[in-house]
Amino acid sequence: MVLDEIVISKAIIERFLEKLLQATDVDVAIVGGGPSGLVAAYYLASAGKKVALFERKLSLGGGMWGGGMMFNEIVVQDEAREILDVFDIRYREYQQGYYTADAVLAVTSICSQAARAGASIFNCVSVEDVMIREGRVTGLVINWSPVEMAGLHVDPLTIAAGSVIDTTGHATEVLKVIERKADMQLATPSGKLVGERSMWAEKAERLTMDNTRQICPGVYVAGMSANAAFGGPRMGPIFGGMLLSGRKVAELILASS
Ligand code: 48H
């Protein structure tokens, strides 16, 4: 067989465009491919929802690759151990209630399962704005991350979504855009973003679950972004809350549709 570079190029272009066209109108659009976003993508796609996930970076996995201070092991508490089993991630008990897993195995397993479940995953794509109709967020405004990084003046494209999930981590990027540009109250006591507090693992892990919820019409918040939105503390390199939050947001959206 003689390989033809033009066939290779056409195959990539056509197949990618099919995927992108499919993603112009989805049930759920997820912003951020860290652990909470990927877990949400897995559960939603497994339940038959049309899901697109947009990640700014070339690689998925967010803050999970680096474990704690680049020691690439993660800690997961008892409550979230069952999620490690769902994704077939090997773990070891460290002491009662504390389990460790290899961060690379954890990220790759969750990514793989989310993609196999049918979520369309777009890396190198940044969400820069939202679309709003009659007081509800109805879609996302996306652009190539290299366009954003180079500061090029290139207009974005738009996708429609039944629900949007902000899983952008510490940055709460979708919520920041909504606060800045839209006349919309968030479901916090002040109606505004509260901001993340200092480290307190026990409280943070509990609050991550409480804070995983709908935050304004059309938008849910999960993972680290949920704590930052509602003023919860950070938890450091324990990842059970991120996994459980990803599952909870999927359950909330499935229950509402
Ligand atoms: C596209 C975007 C955009 C955008 C950001 O930070 P993450 O890993 O998020 P979580 O919440 O799933 O997990 C948090 C965890 O990794 C963590 O940081 C913990 C537990 N910290 C505790 C502590 O004390 O510090 O992933 C978010 C992803 C990243 O990959 C970003 O690149 C991406 O979102 N992202 N993607 N468009 N506008 N903004």
Side-chain angles (χ1 to χ4, degrees):
M1 180 185 162
V2 180
L3 288 176
D4 181 336
E5 293 84 351
I6 304 309
V7 176
I8 296 169
S9 299
K10 282 181 168 174
I12 288 174
I13 294 166
E14 280 188 34
R15 290 289 194 259
F16 182 80
L17 287 184
E18 270 172 28
K19 206 158 54 175
L20 189 57
L21 281 170
Q22 278 289 316
T24 52
D25 192 351
V26 293
D27 297 321
V28 186
I30 302 174
V31 189
S36 62
L38 287 166
V39 167
Y42 165 79
Y43 281 104
L44 287 161
S46 298
K49 292 290 173 196
K50 195 173 170 195
V51 177
L53 181 150
F54 300 99
E55 166 54 50
R56 167 179 286 138
K57 296 193 177 142
L58 186 57
S59 63
L60 294 144
M64 212 186 211
W65 293 105
M69 219 177 108
M70 291 200 296
F71 293 9
N72 66 356
E73 286 281 322
I74 57 164
V75 170
V76 170
Q77 64 274 48
D78 218 7
E79 291 83 346
R81 194 158 54 114
E82 58 184 303
I83 301 191
L84 296 178
D85 289 326
V86 168
F87 290 102
D88 201 17
I89 300 166
R90 273 193 316 273
Y91 54 84
R92 285 194 293 156
E93 189 171 41
Y94 179 71
Q95 72 177 56
Q96 200 189 358
Y98 295 78
Y99 299 87
T100 61
D102 180 86
V104 174
L105 179 65
V107 171
T108 52
S109 303
I110 297 170
C111 274
S112 161
Q113 295 293 335
R116 281 171 200 277
S120 294
I121 299 178
F122 297 90
N123 52 345
C124 286
V125 174
S126 292
V127 172
E128 60 170 61
D129 204 344
V130 294
M131 176 165 70
I132 297 181
R133 293 288 180 281
E134 281 138 27
R136 181 185 174 88
V137 172
T138 56
L140 295 176
V141 178
I142 60 172
N143 213 329
W144 298 116
S145 301
V147 165
E148 177 188 70
M149 288 160 74
L152 301 178
H153 188 163
V154 177
D155 274 352
L157 293 174
T158 309
I159 67 133
S163 302
V164 165
I165 312 177
D166 183 332
T167 47
T168 62
H170 300 272
T172 58
E173 289 209 11
V174 177
L175 303 179
K176 277 189 185 140
V177 167
I178 294 170
E179 186 171 82
R180 194 172 70 243
K181 291 195 174 186
D183 200 10
M184 210 180 249
Q185 293 278 308
L186 303 181
T188 59
S190 62
K192 303 269 176 212
L193 275 170
V194 181
E196 179 186 302
R197 307 285 175 194
S198 292
M199 182 89 80
W200 187 347
E202 162 67 25
K203 192 172 169 188
E205 287 292 273
R206 189 167 28 81
L207 285 176
T208 303
M209 291 307 282
D210 297 345
N211 294 336
T212 298
R213 47 188 288 207
Q214 185 165 8
I215 190 157
C216 65
V219 183
Y220 291 76
V221 66
M224 199 61 225
S225 177
N227 265 6
F230 287 96
R234 65 190 302 183
M235 68 292 291
I238 180 157
F239 281 82
M242 299 299 113
L243 306 177
L244 291 165
S245 173
R247 185 176 69 181
K248 180 178 173 187
V249 76
E251 287 168 354
L252 290 174
I253 291 172
L254 291 171
S256 75
S257 55

